[in-house]
Amino acid sequence: MAPKDETPSDPITVAEVKEIAKTKLNQPTWDYYTTGADENRTLDRNSKIYKKLLLRPRALRNVADVDTSAYIFGKRYEIPIAIAPSAYQKLVGPGGEIDMTRASYTLGTNFTLSSNATTSLEDVMAALPPRDAKYPAPWFQLYFLRSREQTKAVIKRAEEAGYEALVLTVDTAVLGNRLGERKKPLVLPPGLSTANRASRQAGGVSKGRLLLNAKTAAEAKKVDQENGDFLVDRSLEWGEVIPWLRMQTSMKILVKGIMTAEDALEAMVAGVDGIVVSNHGGRQLDGVPSTLEMLPEIADVVKGRIPVVFDGGISTGSDVFKALALGADLCLIGRSALWGLAYDGQKGVEAVLHILERELWRTMVLSGASSISKISRSMVGIAKRDGFGVSKL
Ligand SMILES: Cc1cc2nc3c(=O)[nH]c(=O)nc-3n(C[C@H](O)[C@H](O)[C@H](O)COP(=O)(O)O)c2cc1C
Ligand SMILES: CCCCCCC(=O)C(=O)O
């Protein structure tokens, strides 16, 4: 069935939602959420690349009924679009992580809670009504701290609370060089804290930020030594960390931050259940390609064996279509969901998901794909170098 249209006064694109969000957020919060690392080359590339990819539609393929649903780990997603983990969501809207997770529930999809959330993982789970077992439970994103005890404790809490999967972020051994943040460090206002650090330390802003703002190498070393337990463990390796996680939990294990076919292979050999192709929304290593560019080589290695989850720069349903065509099984939205949260809390996030759903549905109809499995790589192409004609990928 075709998704319902908005009422005339509603924003009808994510770009419009973002404009409204800008008027609702204070400057430091807007800067924190919009920024990338260094010169923002990767951040910009992530979104611009979608415009370069052209669609190659097919006609007369019976699109009377178009089904946007997808299955990941055997669970049903009404749309192949879920919400990426992002830190400190109560800075964006008072309902924060709870509004996000409830919106994902309403749309029949899923949400990943950040290790640096401002709501406890137990409260997020308790905010959801009971759900038919055919749908997924939320996932929990893990920053693996140097303190194994702290790391173990939070994994245990996530498992006991009923999270379906653990998403180990592997692109944040140290925080990216975010220039705006270095000039104006992010400070959580009183009353907000990172509720999922096992110690629930007051103030709660990541100790990684102290390291980022150290003025000299000596100061950085001091911070590193003094705050060691709360920093991400930089000594992790595939062959050790994945088996260690397996020993701790029976939740599914995904790794987030895969940007090469080589790492996708490492991940599979190490025995993960899924990967997330991601460059952290351009906030970590600047100068890496867009995620969309790397998706085909990664999908060639893992597609059909383990789920390929994907994020980076998605702001339209046609972006989602392109990522699915290049091998994604499920797309995550980071900032687009945050603009919805700023715009109107849970309803705003739902509005964003509905916009993307409608746009994806229309792109599928007009491309001749009546289900997600009918979206193929041959349905996208790239303009030839001499500017005339389209090459298949
Ligand atoms: C403000 C902000 C905070 C983020 N916090 C986290 C986090 O805590 N953990 C994590 O794994 N990724 C985090 N990410 C990365 C997102 O999960 C996701 O990879 C990225 O936002 C996708 O790109 P998009 O924003 O262009 O959709 C964050 C992203 C943003 C923008
Ligand atoms: C220990 C690393 C803290 C990262 C904080 C949240 C995040 O991922 C971001 O991009 O900001």
mmCIF file of all heavy atoms in Angstrom, residues 171-198:
data_model
loop_
_atom_site.group_PDB
_atom_site.id
_atom_site.type_symbol
_atom_site.label_atom_id
_atom_site.label_comp_id
_atom_site.label_asym_id
_atom_site.label_seq_id
_atom_site.Cartn_x
_atom_site.Cartn_y
_atom_site.Cartn_z
ATOM 1 N N ASP A 171 35.986 2.690 14.775
ATOM 2 C CA ASP A 171 36.668 3.805 14.093
ATOM 3 C C ASP A 171 36.997 4.956 15.027
ATOM 4 O O ASP A 171 37.303 6.058 14.610
ATOM 5 C CB ASP A 171 35.802 4.317 12.919
ATOM 6 C CG ASP A 171 34.401 4.782 13.365
ATOM 7 O OD1 ASP A 171 34.190 5.001 14.575
ATOM 8 O OD2 ASP A 171 33.529 4.916 12.493
ATOM 9 N N THR A 172 36.924 4.699 16.330
ATOM 10 C CA THR A 172 37.049 5.808 17.286
ATOM 11 C C THR A 172 38.083 5.470 18.376
ATOM 12 O O THR A 172 37.839 5.671 19.562
ATOM 13 C CB THR A 172 35.656 6.135 17.901
ATOM 14 O OG1 THR A 172 34.702 6.176 16.847
ATOM 15 C CG2 THR A 172 35.615 7.485 18.603
ATOM 16 N N ALA A 173 39.268 4.977 17.935
ATOM 17 C CA ALA A 173 40.311 4.665 18.907
ATOM 18 C C ALA A 173 40.735 5.951 19.618
ATOM 19 O O ALA A 173 41.166 5.945 20.768
ATOM 20 C CB ALA A 173 41.503 4.022 18.214
ATOM 21 N N VAL A 174 40.615 7.051 18.907
ATOM 22 C CA VAL A 174 40.791 8.374 19.503
ATOM 23 C C VAL A 174 39.786 9.267 18.771
ATOM 24 O O VAL A 174 39.389 8.966 17.642
ATOM 25 C CB VAL A 174 42.253 8.859 19.341
ATOM 26 C CG1 VAL A 174 42.611 9.119 17.878
ATOM 27 C CG2 VAL A 174 42.542 10.101 20.169
ATOM 28 N N LEU A 175 39.366 10.348 19.426
ATOM 29 C CA LEU A 175 38.362 11.209 18.784
ATOM 30 C C LEU A 175 38.954 11.895 17.555
ATOM 31 O O LEU A 175 40.111 12.305 17.565
ATOM 32 C CB LEU A 175 37.934 12.265 19.810
ATOM 33 C CG LEU A 175 36.470 12.645 19.888
ATOM 34 C CD1 LEU A 175 35.573 11.440 20.081
ATOM 35 C CD2 LEU A 175 36.264 13.626 21.036
ATOM 36 N N GLY A 176 38.159 12.042 16.482
ATOM 37 C CA GLY A 176 38.609 12.777 15.296
ATOM 38 C C GLY A 176 38.911 14.227 15.643
ATOM 39 O O GLY A 176 38.487 14.741 16.686
ATOM 40 N N ASN A 177 39.647 14.869 14.750
ATOM 41 C CA ASN A 177 40.102 16.240 15.001
ATOM 42 C C ASN A 177 39.011 17.238 14.591
ATOM 43 O O ASN A 177 39.023 17.788 13.498
ATOM 44 C CB ASN A 177 41.383 16.484 14.197
ATOM 45 C CG ASN A 177 42.054 17.774 14.585
ATOM 46 O OD1 ASN A 177 41.909 18.254 15.716
ATOM 47 N ND2 ASN A 177 42.768 18.363 13.649
ATOM 48 N N ARG A 178 38.070 17.446 15.498
ATOM 49 C CA ARG A 178 36.930 18.328 15.194
ATOM 50 C C ARG A 178 37.281 19.739 15.645
ATOM 51 O O ARG A 178 37.328 20.034 16.838
ATOM 52 C CB ARG A 178 35.683 17.809 15.901
ATOM 53 C CG ARG A 178 35.391 16.378 15.457
ATOM 54 C CD ARG A 178 34.592 15.648 16.466
ATOM 55 N NE ARG A 178 34.525 14.226 16.148
ATOM 56 C CZ ARG A 178 33.810 13.360 16.839
ATOM 57 N NH1 ARG A 178 33.090 13.775 17.869
ATOM 58 N NH2 ARG A 178 33.805 12.087 16.525
ATOM 59 N N LEU A 179 37.527 20.584 14.656
ATOM 60 C CA LEU A 179 38.141 21.873 14.960
ATOM 61 C C LEU A 179 37.250 22.764 15.828
ATOM 62 O O LEU A 179 37.710 23.361 16.794
ATOM 63 C CB LEU A 179 38.513 22.588 13.655
ATOM 64 C CG LEU A 179 39.394 21.758 12.704
ATOM 65 C CD1 LEU A 179 39.793 22.587 11.489
ATOM 66 C CD2 LEU A 179 40.641 21.230 13.410
ATOM 67 N N GLY A 180 35.947 22.796 15.470
ATOM 68 C CA GLY A 180 35.025 23.648 16.228
ATOM 69 C C GLY A 180 34.983 23.241 17.692
ATOM 70 O O GLY A 180 35.005 24.081 18.598
ATOM 71 N N GLU A 181 34.967 21.936 17.904
ATOM 72 C CA GLU A 181 34.889 21.427 19.279
ATOM 73 C C GLU A 181 36.147 21.737 20.065
ATOM 74 O O GLU A 181 36.118 21.892 21.278
ATOM 75 C CB GLU A 181 34.722 19.906 19.222
ATOM 76 C CG GLU A 181 33.416 19.430 19.755
ATOM 77 C CD GLU A 181 33.397 17.926 19.897
ATOM 78 O OE1 GLU A 181 33.968 17.417 20.864
ATOM 79 O OE2 GLU A 181 32.820 17.276 19.012
ATOM 80 N N ARG A 182 37.281 21.783 19.348
ATOM 81 C CA ARG A 182 38.521 22.078 20.056
ATOM 82 C C ARG A 182 38.533 23.527 20.524
ATOM 83 O O ARG A 182 39.054 23.852 21.578
ATOM 84 C CB ARG A 182 39.717 21.793 19.170
ATOM 85 C CG ARG A 182 39.901 20.301 18.998
ATOM 86 C CD ARG A 182 41.103 19.989 18.198
ATOM 87 N NE ARG A 182 42.320 20.460 18.855
ATOM 88 C CZ ARG A 182 43.511 20.437 18.266
ATOM 89 N NH1 ARG A 182 43.628 19.980 17.047
ATOM 90 N NH2 ARG A 182 44.577 20.869 18.905
ATOM 91 N N LYS A 183 37.939 24.385 19.710
ATOM 92 C CA LYS A 183 37.892 25.803 20.112
ATOM 93 C C LYS A 183 36.842 26.010 21.203
ATOM 94 O O LYS A 183 37.025 26.803 22.105
ATOM 95 C CB LYS A 183 37.566 26.685 18.907
ATOM 96 C CG LYS A 183 38.713 26.767 17.907
ATOM 97 C CD LYS A 183 38.524 27.929 16.964
ATOM 98 C CE LYS A 183 39.502 27.929 15.810
ATOM 99 N NZ LYS A 183 40.907 28.112 16.195
ATOM 100 N N LYS A 184 35.727 25.303 21.083
ATOM 101 C CA LYS A 184 34.640 25.415 22.069
ATOM 102 C C LYS A 184 34.246 24.027 22.509
ATOM 103 O O LYS A 184 33.346 23.414 21.922
ATOM 104 C CB LYS A 184 33.432 26.086 21.421
ATOM 105 C CG LYS A 184 33.390 27.565 21.625
ATOM 106 C CD LYS A 184 31.992 28.096 21.445
ATOM 107 C CE LYS A 184 32.004 29.490 22.024
ATOM 108 N NZ LYS A 184 30.840 30.190 21.946
ATOM 109 N N PRO A 185 34.938 23.460 23.515
ATOM 110 C CA PRO A 185 34.643 22.079 23.914
ATOM 111 C C PRO A 185 33.181 21.890 24.316
ATOM 112 O O PRO A 185 32.572 22.790 24.904
ATOM 113 C CB PRO A 185 35.569 21.851 25.100
ATOM 114 C CG PRO A 185 36.632 22.881 24.976
ATOM 115 C CD PRO A 185 36.019 24.057 24.281
ATOM 116 N N LEU A 186 32.648 20.740 23.951
ATOM 117 C CA LEU A 186 31.262 20.431 24.296
ATOM 118 C C LEU A 186 31.148 20.198 25.799
ATOM 119 O O LEU A 186 31.919 19.438 26.374
ATOM 120 C CB LEU A 186 30.823 19.164 23.558
ATOM 121 C CG LEU A 186 29.391 18.745 23.820
ATOM 122 C CD1 LEU A 186 28.429 19.581 22.990
ATOM 123 C CD2 LEU A 186 29.191 17.271 23.477
ATOM 124 N N VAL A 187 30.198 20.856 26.421
ATOM 125 C CA VAL A 187 29.973 20.655 27.860
ATOM 126 C C VAL A 187 28.512 20.277 28.042
ATOM 127 O O VAL A 187 27.626 20.976 27.546
ATOM 128 C CB VAL A 187 30.261 21.959 28.652
ATOM 129 C CG1 VAL A 187 30.024 21.750 30.136
ATOM 130 C CG2 VAL A 187 31.686 22.431 28.404
ATOM 131 N N LEU A 188 28.278 19.164 28.725
ATOM 132 C CA LEU A 188 26.876 18.797 28.983
ATOM 133 C C LEU A 188 26.332 19.705 30.086
ATOM 134 O O LEU A 188 26.985 19.910 31.104
ATOM 135 C CB LEU A 188 26.774 17.346 29.440
ATOM 136 C CG LEU A 188 26.999 16.262 28.400
ATOM 137 C CD1 LEU A 188 26.687 14.895 29.004
ATOM 138 C CD2 LEU A 188 26.154 16.476 27.160
ATOM 139 N N PRO A 189 25.129 20.254 29.891
ATOM 140 C CA PRO A 189 24.554 21.103 30.946
ATOM 141 C C PRO A 189 24.255 20.287 32.198
ATOM 142 O O PRO A 189 24.140 19.059 32.127
ATOM 143 C CB PRO A 189 23.263 21.619 30.312
ATOM 144 C CG PRO A 189 23.035 20.841 29.095
ATOM 145 C CD PRO A 189 24.279 20.110 28.717
ATOM 146 N N PRO A 190 24.120 20.974 33.345
ATOM 147 C CA PRO A 190 23.800 20.251 34.579
ATOM 148 C C PRO A 190 22.542 19.411 34.374
ATOM 149 O O PRO A 190 21.613 19.827 33.682
ATOM 150 C CB PRO A 190 23.527 21.363 35.594
ATOM 151 C CG PRO A 190 24.088 22.607 34.985
ATOM 152 C CD PRO A 190 24.174 22.421 33.511
ATOM 153 N N GLY A 191 22.553 18.234 34.969
ATOM 154 C CA GLY A 191 21.373 17.367 34.848
ATOM 155 C C GLY A 191 21.514 16.323 33.755
ATOM 156 O O GLY A 191 20.799 15.337 33.750
ATOM 157 N N LEU A 192 22.415 16.547 32.807
ATOM 158 C CA LEU A 192 22.629 15.524 31.762
ATOM 159 C C LEU A 192 23.923 14.773 32.043
ATOM 160 O O LEU A 192 24.934 15.385 32.379
ATOM 161 C CB LEU A 192 22.732 16.158 30.370
ATOM 162 C CG LEU A 192 21.494 16.821 29.787
ATOM 163 C CD1 LEU A 192 21.671 17.056 28.299
ATOM 164 C CD2 LEU A 192 20.246 15.975 30.022
ATOM 165 N N SER A 193 23.866 13.461 31.884
ATOM 166 C CA SER A 193 25.101 12.695 32.051
ATOM 167 C C SER A 193 25.068 11.478 31.141
ATOM 168 O O SER A 193 24.013 11.134 30.593
ATOM 169 C CB SER A 193 25.258 12.246 33.507
ATOM 170 O OG SER A 193 24.251 11.311 33.808
ATOM 171 N N THR A 194 26.217 10.858 30.970
ATOM 172 C CA THR A 194 26.270 9.645 30.151
ATOM 173 C C THR A 194 25.859 8.469 31.034
ATOM 174 O O THR A 194 26.671 7.908 31.755
ATOM 175 C CB THR A 194 27.674 9.433 29.557
ATOM 176 O OG1 THR A 194 28.628 9.610 30.591
ATOM 177 C CG2 THR A 194 27.949 10.400 28.437
ATOM 178 N N ALA A 195 24.592 8.113 30.908
ATOM 179 C CA ALA A 195 23.969 7.207 31.857
ATOM 180 C C ALA A 195 24.371 5.742 31.687
ATOM 181 O O ALA A 195 23.978 4.908 32.487
ATOM 182 C CB ALA A 195 22.456 7.328 31.739
ATOM 183 N N ASN A 196 25.153 5.442 30.647
ATOM 184 C CA ASN A 196 25.501 4.032 30.428
ATOM 185 C C ASN A 196 26.955 3.712 30.679
ATOM 186 O O ASN A 196 27.380 2.591 30.446
ATOM 187 C CB ASN A 196 25.099 3.596 29.029
ATOM 188 C CG ASN A 196 23.605 3.707 28.879
ATOM 189 O OD1 ASN A 196 22.854 3.214 29.731
ATOM 190 N ND2 ASN A 196 23.153 4.428 27.874
ATOM 191 N N ARG A 197 27.708 4.715 31.133
ATOM 192 C CA ARG A 197 29.035 4.390 31.638
ATOM 193 C C ARG A 197 28.775 3.657 32.941
ATOM 194 O O ARG A 197 27.946 4.104 33.751
ATOM 195 C CB ARG A 197 29.844 5.655 31.901
ATOM 196 C CG ARG A 197 30.103 6.474 30.658
ATOM 197 C CD ARG A 197 30.814 5.620 29.617
ATOM 198 N NE ARG A 197 31.175 6.414 28.455
ATOM 199 C CZ ARG A 197 32.415 6.735 28.150
ATOM 200 N NH1 ARG A 197 33.420 6.354 28.898
ATOM 201 N NH2 ARG A 197 32.662 7.431 27.070
ATOM 202 N N ALA A 198 29.478 2.547 33.179
ATOM 203 C CA ALA A 198 29.147 1.755 34.356
ATOM 204 C C ALA A 198 29.212 2.599 35.622
ATOM 205 O O ALA A 198 28.416 2.450 36.531
ATOM 206 C CB ALA A 198 30.076 0.570 34.456
#
